[in-house]
Amino acid sequence: MAVDGVRADGGRGYAVLKPVRYERPLWDFPDGTLAGREVAACLVDRAGGWGLVPATVLRTDPPAALQRWVGALPPGIPDDPDAPEDSAGPAPASARDRRRDGAAQRRRPGGAAELHDPEDAHVVTLVAADRPTPGWLPVLPAQLADGTDVVVAHADLPRLASLAVLDAALNNTDRKGSHVLKDSTGALWGIDHGVSLHAEDKLRTILWGWQGDPLPAVDVERLRRLEAYLRADGADSLAAALALHITTAEIAALRRRVERLLSAGVFPAPSGDWHSIPWPPL
């Protein structure tokens, strides 16, 4: 649900409202906790200094996560929140249409995938299985409806690599390609963190292309900053803020994940104990 609101600078903007009452029950996450996990992920993101999660707060009436809107607006909503609804431009294509059209544009008549520019709006896509594709890191083999072998790959971009590090700290169990967006300036954002921060290791992501590579120095510094904040105590500490949304055991697990990442110094790899790629991956 898109709603409009007032930004911190006094301007108006749109946000997405995720009410607790409409959360789908999950077998491995407690009911009614997804909205709080969205907020907790934003707190972790801000503490480390990533700036990859759109501003997210918890509303109490009704209980819901409220997150700044990123990307194309739904059909019928004007770019300016103060403009009349009939001033909205042509309705943008749905996410499904964009994926379909994008895949068609990246395929030759014979079905082979075309080279795709990693700087455009898509950061996860299909590339040819029979040749290297510069700028893209392969993750998962796949096959098109016509039998063409392809590979699901993600862009080799620094900000996307930083998102993979943040996801590892958050224990994000649902990093699909559609959960990575670019705003009107081209800045990259990660959304949908409701199934994050579980005490058990459940990392499930499409961003496995850097596994085993050294962590970027900038992300090591962010992890160290986050670790310092997690060690602090007191009523105004990060741990106290997180305790409003996740359990003590989950906060302790977050600390351990950050410590493991810093100790290993490399991007994690799938463990084999958990389904490591979400479905659908795009």
Side-chain angles (χ1 to χ4, degrees), residues 114-164:
E114 288 278 15
L115 177 65
H116 191 197
D117 182 358
E119 293 294 345
D120 71 8
H122 301 271
V123 293
V124 179
T125 191
L126 303 178
V127 299
D130 57 355
R131 67 179 187 272
T133 309
W136 294 89
L137 300 177
V139 176
L140 179 70
Q143 193 173 71
L144 300 177
D146 63 6
T148 302
D149 290 326
V150 293
V151 172
V152 180
H154 62 72
D156 187 7
L157 298 172
R159 191 165 168 87
L160 193 61
S162 291
L163 182 61

mmCIF file of all heavy atoms in Angstrom, residues 114-164:
data_model
loop_
_atom_site.group_PDB
_atom_site.id
_atom_site.type_symbol
_atom_site.label_atom_id
_atom_site.label_comp_id
_atom_site.label_asym_id
_atom_site.label_seq_id
_atom_site.Cartn_x
_atom_site.Cartn_y
_atom_site.Cartn_z
ATOM 1 N N GLU A 114 21.515 -11.617 -24.556
ATOM 2 C CA GLU A 114 22.381 -10.540 -24.987
ATOM 3 C C GLU A 114 23.175 -10.000 -23.805
ATOM 4 O O GLU A 114 22.766 -10.143 -22.655
ATOM 5 C CB GLU A 114 21.534 -9.395 -25.578
ATOM 6 C CG GLU A 114 20.935 -9.710 -26.946
ATOM 7 C CD GLU A 114 21.934 -9.494 -28.067
ATOM 8 O OE1 GLU A 114 23.145 -9.390 -27.775
ATOM 9 O OE2 GLU A 114 21.512 -9.453 -29.231
ATOM 10 N N LEU A 115 24.311 -9.352 -24.096
ATOM 11 C CA LEU A 115 25.060 -8.662 -23.056
ATOM 12 C C LEU A 115 24.189 -7.599 -22.435
ATOM 13 O O LEU A 115 23.514 -6.851 -23.130
ATOM 14 C CB LEU A 115 26.300 -8.019 -23.661
ATOM 15 C CG LEU A 115 27.157 -7.191 -22.703
ATOM 16 C CD1 LEU A 115 27.754 -8.095 -21.635
ATOM 17 C CD2 LEU A 115 28.258 -6.487 -23.471
ATOM 18 N N HIS A 116 24.162 -7.551 -21.134
ATOM 19 C CA HIS A 116 23.291 -6.635 -20.414
ATOM 20 C C HIS A 116 24.152 -5.675 -19.610
ATOM 21 O O HIS A 116 25.057 -6.104 -18.904
ATOM 22 C CB HIS A 116 22.371 -7.445 -19.501
ATOM 23 C CG HIS A 116 21.265 -6.653 -18.898
ATOM 24 N ND1 HIS A 116 20.561 -7.086 -17.814
ATOM 25 C CD2 HIS A 116 20.748 -5.450 -19.220
ATOM 26 C CE1 HIS A 116 19.651 -6.184 -17.491
ATOM 27 N NE2 HIS A 116 19.751 -5.193 -18.324
ATOM 28 N N ASP A 117 23.908 -4.396 -19.739
ATOM 29 C CA ASP A 117 24.704 -3.375 -19.063
ATOM 30 C C ASP A 117 24.423 -3.401 -17.565
ATOM 31 O O ASP A 117 23.295 -3.152 -17.143
ATOM 32 C CB ASP A 117 24.356 -1.995 -19.638
ATOM 33 C CG ASP A 117 25.196 -0.889 -19.015
ATOM 34 O OD1 ASP A 117 26.015 -1.198 -18.126
ATOM 35 O OD2 ASP A 117 25.026 0.272 -19.426
ATOM 36 N N PRO A 118 25.418 -3.700 -16.705
ATOM 37 C CA PRO A 118 25.166 -3.770 -15.261
ATOM 38 C C PRO A 118 24.841 -2.429 -14.632
ATOM 39 O O PRO A 118 24.466 -2.378 -13.470
ATOM 40 C CB PRO A 118 26.481 -4.339 -14.699
ATOM 41 C CG PRO A 118 27.509 -3.989 -15.713
ATOM 42 C CD PRO A 118 26.812 -4.019 -17.034
ATOM 43 N N GLU A 119 24.965 -1.325 -15.380
ATOM 44 C CA GLU A 119 24.650 -0.023 -14.816
ATOM 45 C C GLU A 119 23.189 0.369 -15.041
ATOM 46 O O GLU A 119 22.768 1.437 -14.631
ATOM 47 C CB GLU A 119 25.564 1.048 -15.423
ATOM 48 C CG GLU A 119 27.034 0.897 -15.029
ATOM 49 C CD GLU A 119 27.275 1.135 -13.547
ATOM 50 O OE1 GLU A 119 26.386 1.682 -12.871
ATOM 51 O OE2 GLU A 119 28.355 0.765 -13.065
ATOM 52 N N ASP A 120 22.390 -0.481 -15.730
ATOM 53 C CA ASP A 120 21.002 -0.097 -15.958
ATOM 54 C C ASP A 120 20.140 -0.490 -14.772
ATOM 55 O O ASP A 120 20.638 -0.800 -13.698
ATOM 56 C CB ASP A 120 20.482 -0.651 -17.284
ATOM 57 C CG ASP A 120 20.275 -2.166 -17.253
ATOM 58 O OD1 ASP A 120 20.380 -2.758 -16.167
ATOM 59 O OD2 ASP A 120 20.008 -2.750 -18.318
ATOM 60 N N ALA A 121 18.817 -0.494 -14.959
ATOM 61 C CA ALA A 121 17.915 -0.667 -13.818
ATOM 62 C C ALA A 121 17.937 -2.082 -13.249
ATOM 63 O O ALA A 121 17.567 -2.288 -12.100
ATOM 64 C CB ALA A 121 16.492 -0.303 -14.237
ATOM 65 N N HIS A 122 18.328 -3.074 -14.032
ATOM 66 C CA HIS A 122 18.298 -4.460 -13.574
ATOM 67 C C HIS A 122 19.655 -4.831 -12.974
ATOM 68 O O HIS A 122 20.689 -4.606 -13.588
ATOM 69 C CB HIS A 122 17.991 -5.393 -14.739
ATOM 70 C CG HIS A 122 16.690 -5.121 -15.411
ATOM 71 N ND1 HIS A 122 15.504 -5.693 -15.014
ATOM 72 C CD2 HIS A 122 16.389 -4.313 -16.460
ATOM 73 C CE1 HIS A 122 14.528 -5.259 -15.792
ATOM 74 N NE2 HIS A 122 15.031 -4.425 -16.672
ATOM 75 N N VAL A 123 19.648 -5.426 -11.817
ATOM 76 C CA VAL A 123 20.906 -5.860 -11.216
ATOM 77 C C VAL A 123 20.979 -7.374 -11.120
ATOM 78 O O VAL A 123 22.033 -7.920 -10.780
ATOM 79 C CB VAL A 123 21.118 -5.232 -9.815
ATOM 80 C CG1 VAL A 123 21.310 -3.736 -9.927
ATOM 81 C CG2 VAL A 123 19.975 -5.567 -8.877
ATOM 82 N N VAL A 124 19.886 -8.074 -11.397
ATOM 83 C CA VAL A 124 19.866 -9.532 -11.495
ATOM 84 C C VAL A 124 19.147 -9.866 -12.796
ATOM 85 O O VAL A 124 18.064 -9.352 -13.057
ATOM 86 C CB VAL A 124 19.138 -10.182 -10.306
ATOM 87 C CG1 VAL A 124 19.132 -11.704 -10.458
ATOM 88 C CG2 VAL A 124 19.801 -9.794 -8.982
ATOM 89 N N THR A 125 19.750 -10.712 -13.616
ATOM 90 C CA THR A 125 19.175 -10.977 -14.931
ATOM 91 C C THR A 125 19.630 -12.333 -15.435
ATOM 92 O O THR A 125 20.286 -13.090 -14.726
ATOM 93 C CB THR A 125 19.577 -9.861 -15.918
ATOM 94 O OG1 THR A 125 18.800 -9.988 -17.110
ATOM 95 C CG2 THR A 125 21.049 -9.908 -16.246
ATOM 96 N N LEU A 126 19.277 -12.646 -16.691
ATOM 97 C CA LEU A 126 19.708 -13.863 -17.361
ATOM 98 C C LEU A 126 20.809 -13.522 -18.357
ATOM 99 O O LEU A 126 20.689 -12.544 -19.103
ATOM 100 C CB LEU A 126 18.536 -14.517 -18.101
ATOM 101 C CG LEU A 126 17.311 -14.861 -17.254
ATOM 102 C CD1 LEU A 126 16.222 -15.463 -18.138
ATOM 103 C CD2 LEU A 126 17.673 -15.825 -16.130
ATOM 104 N N VAL A 127 21.865 -14.310 -18.363
ATOM 105 C CA VAL A 127 22.949 -14.121 -19.325
ATOM 106 C C VAL A 127 23.200 -15.444 -20.033
ATOM 107 O O VAL A 127 22.725 -16.501 -19.599
ATOM 108 C CB VAL A 127 24.240 -13.622 -18.640
ATOM 109 C CG1 VAL A 127 24.009 -12.279 -17.967
ATOM 110 C CG2 VAL A 127 24.750 -14.641 -17.624
ATOM 111 N N ALA A 128 23.944 -15.380 -21.132
ATOM 112 C CA ALA A 128 24.219 -16.575 -21.926
ATOM 113 C C ALA A 128 25.027 -17.590 -21.124
ATOM 114 O O ALA A 128 25.934 -17.228 -20.374
ATOM 115 C CB ALA A 128 24.964 -16.196 -23.201
ATOM 116 N N ALA A 129 24.689 -18.864 -21.307
ATOM 117 C CA ALA A 129 25.398 -19.919 -20.592
ATOM 118 C C ALA A 129 26.670 -20.355 -21.321
ATOM 119 O O ALA A 129 27.526 -21.002 -20.715
ATOM 120 C CB ALA A 129 24.482 -21.122 -20.407
ATOM 121 N N ASP A 130 26.788 -19.976 -22.606
ATOM 122 C CA ASP A 130 27.882 -20.515 -23.412
ATOM 123 C C ASP A 130 29.040 -19.553 -23.609
ATOM 124 O O ASP A 130 29.955 -19.831 -24.387
ATOM 125 C CB ASP A 130 27.350 -20.944 -24.784
ATOM 126 C CG ASP A 130 26.670 -19.813 -25.541
ATOM 127 O OD1 ASP A 130 26.535 -18.716 -24.951
ATOM 128 O OD2 ASP A 130 26.276 -20.028 -26.698
ATOM 129 N N ARG A 131 29.025 -18.395 -22.925
ATOM 130 C CA ARG A 131 30.154 -17.470 -23.059
ATOM 131 C C ARG A 131 30.210 -16.554 -21.840
ATOM 132 O O ARG A 131 29.177 -16.265 -21.225
ATOM 133 C CB ARG A 131 30.033 -16.638 -24.334
ATOM 134 C CG ARG A 131 28.872 -15.658 -24.347
ATOM 135 C CD ARG A 131 28.873 -14.855 -25.654
ATOM 136 N NE ARG A 131 27.876 -13.804 -25.615
ATOM 137 C CZ ARG A 131 26.615 -13.964 -25.978
ATOM 138 N NH1 ARG A 131 26.186 -15.155 -26.372
ATOM 139 N NH2 ARG A 131 25.766 -12.953 -25.930
ATOM 140 N N PRO A 132 31.394 -16.073 -21.491
ATOM 141 C CA PRO A 132 31.516 -15.139 -20.366
ATOM 142 C C PRO A 132 30.763 -13.844 -20.675
ATOM 143 O O PRO A 132 30.678 -13.412 -21.823
ATOM 144 C CB PRO A 132 33.026 -14.902 -20.261
ATOM 145 C CG PRO A 132 33.655 -16.038 -20.976
ATOM 146 C CD PRO A 132 32.704 -16.421 -22.070
ATOM 147 N N THR A 133 30.224 -13.228 -19.639
ATOM 148 C CA THR A 133 29.505 -11.969 -19.796
ATOM 149 C C THR A 133 30.143 -10.939 -18.878
ATOM 150 O O THR A 133 29.889 -10.948 -17.674
ATOM 151 C CB THR A 133 28.007 -12.144 -19.438
ATOM 152 O OG1 THR A 133 27.485 -13.270 -20.162
ATOM 153 C CG2 THR A 133 27.213 -10.904 -19.818
ATOM 154 N N PRO A 134 30.996 -10.074 -19.421
ATOM 155 C CA PRO A 134 31.692 -9.097 -18.573
ATOM 156 C C PRO A 134 30.733 -8.249 -17.759
ATOM 157 O O PRO A 134 29.689 -7.812 -18.250
ATOM 158 C CB PRO A 134 32.449 -8.244 -19.606
ATOM 159 C CG PRO A 134 32.616 -9.128 -20.792
ATOM 160 C CD PRO A 134 31.375 -9.964 -20.850
ATOM 161 N N GLY A 135 31.090 -8.024 -16.496
ATOM 162 C CA GLY A 135 30.265 -7.202 -15.621
ATOM 163 C C GLY A 135 29.205 -7.962 -14.856
ATOM 164 O O GLY A 135 28.495 -7.368 -14.038
ATOM 165 N N TRP A 136 29.120 -9.291 -15.102
ATOM 166 C CA TRP A 136 28.083 -10.097 -14.446
ATOM 167 C C TRP A 136 28.712 -11.310 -13.786
ATOM 168 O O TRP A 136 29.627 -11.914 -14.336
ATOM 169 C CB TRP A 136 27.016 -10.530 -15.453
ATOM 170 C CG TRP A 136 26.240 -9.368 -15.974
ATOM 171 C CD1 TRP A 136 26.537 -8.596 -17.059
ATOM 172 C CD2 TRP A 136 25.077 -8.810 -15.379
ATOM 173 N NE1 TRP A 136 25.616 -7.589 -17.183
ATOM 174 C CE2 TRP A 136 24.708 -7.689 -16.178
ATOM 175 C CE3 TRP A 136 24.306 -9.134 -14.268
ATOM 176 C CZ2 TRP A 136 23.598 -6.907 -15.876
ATOM 177 C CZ3 TRP A 136 23.202 -8.353 -13.976
ATOM 178 C CH2 TRP A 136 22.848 -7.264 -14.769
ATOM 179 N N LEU A 137 28.199 -11.670 -12.613
ATOM 180 C CA LEU A 137 28.707 -12.809 -11.865
ATOM 181 C C LEU A 137 27.665 -13.916 -11.865
ATOM 182 O O LEU A 137 26.538 -13.715 -11.395
ATOM 183 C CB LEU A 137 29.028 -12.391 -10.429
ATOM 184 C CG LEU A 137 30.084 -11.284 -10.298
ATOM 185 C CD1 LEU A 137 30.261 -10.902 -8.836
ATOM 186 C CD2 LEU A 137 31.413 -11.712 -10.904
ATOM 187 N N PRO A 138 27.989 -15.103 -12.407
ATOM 188 C CA PRO A 138 27.014 -16.193 -12.499
ATOM 189 C C PRO A 138 26.690 -16.787 -11.135
ATOM 190 O O PRO A 138 27.559 -16.895 -10.265
ATOM 191 C CB PRO A 138 27.717 -17.215 -13.398
ATOM 192 C CG PRO A 138 29.177 -16.949 -13.187
ATOM 193 C CD PRO A 138 29.307 -15.467 -12.958
ATOM 194 N N VAL A 139 25.428 -17.173 -10.963
ATOM 195 C CA VAL A 139 24.987 -17.747 -9.694
ATOM 196 C C VAL A 139 24.277 -19.080 -9.894
ATOM 197 O O VAL A 139 24.565 -20.056 -9.201
ATOM 198 C CB VAL A 139 24.051 -16.770 -8.943
ATOM 199 C CG1 VAL A 139 23.513 -17.420 -7.667
ATOM 200 C CG2 VAL A 139 24.768 -15.470 -8.614
ATOM 201 N N LEU A 140 23.344 -19.125 -10.857
ATOM 202 C CA LEU A 140 22.446 -20.275 -10.940
ATOM 203 C C LEU A 140 22.162 -20.627 -12.395
ATOM 204 O O LEU A 140 21.705 -19.766 -13.156
ATOM 205 C CB LEU A 140 21.125 -19.936 -10.228
ATOM 206 C CG LEU A 140 20.019 -20.985 -10.217
ATOM 207 C CD1 LEU A 140 20.427 -22.153 -9.321
ATOM 208 C CD2 LEU A 140 18.716 -20.372 -9.714
ATOM 209 N N PRO A 141 22.404 -21.877 -12.831
ATOM 210 C CA PRO A 141 22.025 -22.273 -14.192
ATOM 211 C C PRO A 141 20.510 -22.370 -14.319
ATOM 212 O O PRO A 141 19.815 -22.741 -13.374
ATOM 213 C CB PRO A 141 22.700 -23.638 -14.374
ATOM 214 C CG PRO A 141 22.841 -24.182 -12.983
ATOM 215 C CD PRO A 141 23.057 -22.982 -12.098
ATOM 216 N N ALA A 142 20.002 -22.041 -15.499
ATOM 217 C CA ALA A 142 18.554 -22.084 -15.740
ATOM 218 C C ALA A 142 18.324 -22.394 -17.208
ATOM 219 O O ALA A 142 19.266 -22.504 -18.005
ATOM 220 C CB ALA A 142 17.908 -20.755 -15.350
ATOM 221 N N GLN A 143 17.051 -22.528 -17.575
ATOM 222 C CA GLN A 143 16.702 -22.830 -18.958
ATOM 223 C C GLN A 143 15.437 -22.091 -19.328
ATOM 224 O O GLN A 143 14.464 -22.063 -18.556
ATOM 225 C CB GLN A 143 16.517 -24.338 -19.153
ATOM 226 C CG GLN A 143 16.447 -24.786 -20.599
ATOM 227 C CD GLN A 143 16.424 -26.295 -20.719
ATOM 228 O OE1 GLN A 143 15.430 -26.924 -20.373
ATOM 229 N NE2 GLN A 143 17.531 -26.883 -21.189
ATOM 230 N N LEU A 144 15.438 -21.450 -20.502
ATOM 231 C CA LEU A 144 14.267 -20.745 -20.988
ATOM 232 C C LEU A 144 13.228 -21.737 -21.505
ATOM 233 O O LEU A 144 13.519 -22.929 -21.684
ATOM 234 C CB LEU A 144 14.665 -19.774 -22.107
ATOM 235 C CG LEU A 144 15.677 -18.688 -21.739
ATOM 236 C CD1 LEU A 144 16.015 -17.848 -22.966
ATOM 237 C CD2 LEU A 144 15.145 -17.805 -20.620
ATOM 238 N N ALA A 145 12.016 -21.236 -21.749
ATOM 239 C CA ALA A 145 10.936 -22.099 -22.219
ATOM 240 C C ALA A 145 11.271 -22.767 -23.540
ATOM 241 O O ALA A 145 10.780 -23.863 -23.838
ATOM 242 C CB ALA A 145 9.644 -21.292 -22.345
ATOM 243 N N ASP A 146 12.105 -22.109 -24.376
ATOM 244 C CA ASP A 146 12.462 -22.693 -25.669
ATOM 245 C C ASP A 146 13.646 -23.652 -25.577
ATOM 246 O O ASP A 146 14.147 -24.131 -26.594
ATOM 247 C CB ASP A 146 12.760 -21.590 -26.693
ATOM 248 C CG ASP A 146 13.960 -20.726 -26.301
ATOM 249 O OD1 ASP A 146 14.632 -21.064 -25.300
ATOM 250 O OD2 ASP A 146 14.217 -19.715 -26.979
ATOM 251 N N GLY A 147 14.106 -23.930 -24.367
ATOM 252 C CA GLY A 147 15.197 -24.874 -24.175
ATOM 253 C C GLY A 147 16.579 -24.267 -24.139
ATOM 254 O O GLY A 147 17.564 -24.990 -23.948
ATOM 255 N N THR A 148 16.673 -22.949 -24.312
ATOM 256 C CA THR A 148 17.977 -22.286 -24.284
ATOM 257 C C THR A 148 18.558 -22.299 -22.876
ATOM 258 O O THR A 148 17.884 -21.919 -21.917
ATOM 259 C CB THR A 148 17.845 -20.827 -24.762
ATOM 260 O OG1 THR A 148 17.291 -20.809 -26.078
ATOM 261 C CG2 THR A 148 19.204 -20.139 -24.768
ATOM 262 N N ASP A 149 19.794 -22.740 -22.763
ATOM 263 C CA ASP A 149 20.481 -22.717 -21.471
ATOM 264 C C ASP A 149 20.963 -21.291 -21.173
ATOM 265 O O ASP A 149 21.598 -20.643 -22.015
ATOM 266 C CB ASP A 149 21.677 -23.663 -21.478
ATOM 267 C CG ASP A 149 21.261 -25.120 -21.506
ATOM 268 O OD1 ASP A 149 20.222 -25.450 -20.899
ATOM 269 O OD2 ASP A 149 21.967 -25.926 -22.145
ATOM 270 N N VAL A 150 20.657 -20.814 -19.980
ATOM 271 C CA VAL A 150 21.071 -19.487 -19.543
ATOM 272 C C VAL A 150 21.591 -19.591 -18.117
ATOM 273 O O VAL A 150 21.580 -20.670 -17.514
ATOM 274 C CB VAL A 150 19.902 -18.469 -19.610
ATOM 275 C CG1 VAL A 150 19.479 -18.217 -21.049
ATOM 276 C CG2 VAL A 150 18.717 -18.946 -18.770
ATOM 277 N N VAL A 151 22.046 -18.469 -17.598
ATOM 278 C CA VAL A 151 22.537 -18.409 -16.218
ATOM 279 C C VAL A 151 21.912 -17.199 -15.546
ATOM 280 O O VAL A 151 21.861 -16.113 -16.137
ATOM 281 C CB VAL A 151 24.075 -18.287 -16.178
ATOM 282 C CG1 VAL A 151 24.564 -18.035 -14.754
ATOM 283 C CG2 VAL A 151 24.719 -19.550 -16.741
ATOM 284 N N VAL A 152 21.393 -17.394 -14.341
ATOM 285 C CA VAL A 152 20.968 -16.257 -13.523
ATOM 286 C C VAL A 152 22.228 -15.628 -12.941
ATOM 287 O O VAL A 152 23.045 -16.318 -12.322
ATOM 288 C CB VAL A 152 20.019 -16.686 -12.393
ATOM 289 C CG1 VAL A 152 19.604 -15.466 -11.559
ATOM 290 C CG2 VAL A 152 18.796 -17.391 -12.957
ATOM 291 N N ALA A 153 22.404 -14.337 -13.184
ATOM 292 C CA ALA A 153 23.616 -13.641 -12.741
ATOM 293 C C ALA A 153 23.249 -12.294 -12.146
ATOM 294 O O ALA A 153 22.161 -11.764 -12.403
ATOM 295 C CB ALA A 153 24.570 -13.446 -13.925
ATOM 296 N N HIS A 154 24.151 -11.763 -11.340
ATOM 297 C CA HIS A 154 23.928 -10.419 -10.810
ATOM 298 C C HIS A 154 25.096 -9.524 -11.200
ATOM 299 O O HIS A 154 26.201 -9.991 -11.519
ATOM 300 C CB HIS A 154 23.721 -10.421 -9.292
ATOM 301 C CG HIS A 154 24.891 -10.915 -8.494
ATOM 302 N ND1 HIS A 154 26.066 -10.186 -8.338
ATOM 303 C CD2 HIS A 154 25.072 -12.067 -7.791
ATOM 304 C CE1 HIS A 154 26.905 -10.869 -7.581
ATOM 305 N NE2 HIS A 154 26.348 -12.014 -7.245
ATOM 306 N N ALA A 155 24.834 -8.226 -11.189
ATOM 307 C CA ALA A 155 25.852 -7.262 -11.591
ATOM 308 C C ALA A 155 26.995 -7.239 -10.586
ATOM 309 O O ALA A 155 26.796 -7.446 -9.382
ATOM 310 C CB ALA A 155 25.231 -5.867 -11.718
ATOM 311 N N ASP A 156 28.177 -6.983 -11.094
ATOM 312 C CA ASP A 156 29.368 -6.866 -10.249
ATOM 313 C C ASP A 156 29.568 -5.382 -9.928
ATOM 314 O O ASP A 156 30.398 -4.708 -10.537
ATOM 315 C CB ASP A 156 30.585 -7.436 -10.985
ATOM 316 C CG ASP A 156 31.828 -7.500 -10.107
ATOM 317 O OD1 ASP A 156 31.710 -7.229 -8.900
ATOM 318 O OD2 ASP A 156 32.912 -7.810 -10.642
ATOM 319 N N LEU A 157 28.779 -4.892 -8.984
ATOM 320 C CA LEU A 157 28.780 -3.478 -8.616
ATOM 321 C C LEU A 157 29.170 -3.317 -7.146
ATOM 322 O O LEU A 157 28.719 -4.104 -6.299
ATOM 323 C CB LEU A 157 27.396 -2.856 -8.835
ATOM 324 C CG LEU A 157 26.869 -2.848 -10.275
ATOM 325 C CD1 LEU A 157 25.417 -2.370 -10.296
ATOM 326 C CD2 LEU A 157 27.734 -1.962 -11.153
ATOM 327 N N PRO A 158 29.972 -2.324 -6.797
ATOM 328 C CA PRO A 158 30.392 -2.140 -5.407
ATOM 329 C C PRO A 158 29.231 -1.998 -4.430
ATOM 330 O O PRO A 158 29.259 -2.584 -3.339
ATOM 331 C CB PRO A 158 31.248 -0.867 -5.458
ATOM 332 C CG PRO A 158 31.758 -0.809 -6.861
ATOM 333 C CD PRO A 158 30.650 -1.354 -7.707
ATOM 334 N N ARG A 159 28.209 -1.218 -4.793
ATOM 335 C CA ARG A 159 27.099 -1.015 -3.855
ATOM 336 C C ARG A 159 26.287 -2.300 -3.684
ATOM 337 O O ARG A 159 25.752 -2.569 -2.607
ATOM 338 C CB ARG A 159 26.215 0.132 -4.336
ATOM 339 C CG ARG A 159 25.187 0.608 -3.312
ATOM 340 C CD ARG A 159 24.606 1.957 -3.708
ATOM 341 N NE ARG A 159 23.431 2.347 -2.941
ATOM 342 C CZ ARG A 159 23.479 2.994 -1.784
ATOM 343 N NH1 ARG A 159 24.649 3.326 -1.260
ATOM 344 N NH2 ARG A 159 22.362 3.320 -1.148
ATOM 345 N N LEU A 160 26.206 -3.116 -4.738
ATOM 346 C CA LEU A 160 25.516 -4.399 -4.620
ATOM 347 C C LEU A 160 26.327 -5.356 -3.747
ATOM 348 O O LEU A 160 25.757 -6.121 -2.960
ATOM 349 C CB LEU A 160 25.292 -4.987 -6.009
ATOM 350 C CG LEU A 160 24.314 -6.167 -6.096
ATOM 351 C CD1 LEU A 160 22.930 -5.751 -5.633
ATOM 352 C CD2 LEU A 160 24.261 -6.717 -7.512
ATOM 353 N N ALA A 161 27.658 -5.305 -3.864
ATOM 354 C CA ALA A 161 28.508 -6.120 -2.995
ATOM 355 C C ALA A 161 28.321 -5.718 -1.531
ATOM 356 O O ALA A 161 28.272 -6.573 -0.632
ATOM 357 C CB ALA A 161 29.970 -5.979 -3.404
ATOM 358 N N SER A 162 28.191 -4.429 -1.286
ATOM 359 C CA SER A 162 27.945 -3.962 0.079
ATOM 360 C C SER A 162 26.606 -4.466 0.597
ATOM 361 O O SER A 162 26.465 -4.803 1.784
ATOM 362 C CB SER A 162 27.979 -2.429 0.129
ATOM 363 O OG SER A 162 29.288 -1.945 -0.101
ATOM 364 N N LEU A 163 25.613 -4.541 -0.291
ATOM 365 C CA LEU A 163 24.315 -5.082 0.114
ATOM 366 C C LEU A 163 24.444 -6.553 0.483
ATOM 367 O O LEU A 163 23.797 -7.024 1.433
ATOM 368 C CB LEU A 163 23.297 -4.892 -1.014
ATOM 369 C CG LEU A 163 21.869 -5.366 -0.708
ATOM 370 C CD1 LEU A 163 21.278 -4.610 0.486
ATOM 371 C CD2 LEU A 163 20.970 -5.198 -1.936
ATOM 372 N N ALA A 164 25.282 -7.291 -0.239
ATOM 373 C CA ALA A 164 25.504 -8.697 0.096
ATOM 374 C C ALA A 164 26.129 -8.835 1.481
ATOM 375 O O ALA A 164 25.795 -9.757 2.238
ATOM 376 C CB ALA A 164 26.389 -9.352 -0.962
#
